[in-house]
Amino acid sequence: FWDVQSIRVENVPVSELPQIFADMFGWQEQVRAVAGAYSALPDAERAQAVVLAYNYGEASAVDYFGSKLGLPRAISGHNQYGLWGPGATSGHVVVAIGFSERQLLQFYDEVTPAASVSLKYAIPEDSHLTIFVCRRPHQSLQESWSQWKYLS
């Protein structure tokens, strides 16, 4: 009925998998890495920590798979997640996925690599991810949220 090869959902280079599959490939591995970084936090930090995802796909993965691993719902500045905002969290401790260290250092004094995920068949932007733990924010997430929000 449909010629899957002729359908192009987005305009990014794809891996060996068609993009419709590559977009979600490795979500469970990503979320396990986030959960490992989150669970390694001291109890007092974990109680206030938030998971911050660069894009709605990573945030959705955390929201879908993360509850079974003890993760809180993710926040993200991307698309609809950006409109939902950071909630009441202060952002004093953040477990971040999808960001570069350089991006996070614009908002935090302390950015520490905690885990990494390499996925051959994921889309290029998700094929090599570092999970960072961020501490000592320059501002609360509520104060800086307009800088985190973006549409694409």
Side-chain angles (χ1 to χ4, degrees):
F1 184 73
W2 293 99
D3 176 12
V4 176
Q5 296 299 321
S6 67
I7 298 172
R8 296 286 180 246
V9 179
E10 295 180 26
N11 294 323
V12 297
V14 294
S15 68
E16 294 178 43
L17 290 177
Q19 185 172 356
I20 196 163
F21 300 116
D23 274 342
M24 293 180 281
F25 185 85
W27 274 13
Q28 291 182 54
E29 291 86 350
Q30 290 176 16
V31 175
R32 278 196 292 270
V34 169
Y38 179 81
S39 66
L41 294 172
D43 290 343
E45 286 190 339
R46 192 174 335 109
Q48 64 174 330
V50 64
V51 176
L52 175 65
Y54 179 73
N55 66 46
Y56 73 87
E58 294 151 353
S60 296
V62 169
D63 288 348
Y64 188 79
F65 294 109
S67 63
K68 292 179 182 173
L69 301 173
L71 291 175
R73 292 189 61 80
I75 62 171
S76 174
H78 190 211
N79 289 352
Q80 188 67 34
Y81 274 88
L83 297 176
W84 295 333
T89 184
S90 67
H92 288 303
V93 180
V94 165
V95 177
I97 179 171
F99 294 92
S100 70
E101 183 176 15
R102 182 182 55 77
Q103 289 170 309
L104 294 168
L105 284 169
Q106 294 176 56
F107 298 94
Y108 287 88
D109 285 332
E110 183 181 330
V111 176
T112 306
S116 62
V117 182
S118 293
L119 303 161
K120 178 180 178 182
Y121 297 110
I123 58 171
E125 67 188 54
D126 286 346
S127 62
H128 300 288
L129 296 174
T130 301
I131 313 305
F132 293 98
V133 174
C134 306
R135 297 176 180 93
R136 300 182 12 232
H138 303 163
Q139 298 177 302
S140 72
L141 283 172
Q142 289 78 16
E143 293 169 321
S144 64
W145 194 249
S146 65
Q147 297 170 67
W148 293 99
K149 288 173 30 176
Y150 72 103
L151 298 173
S152 68

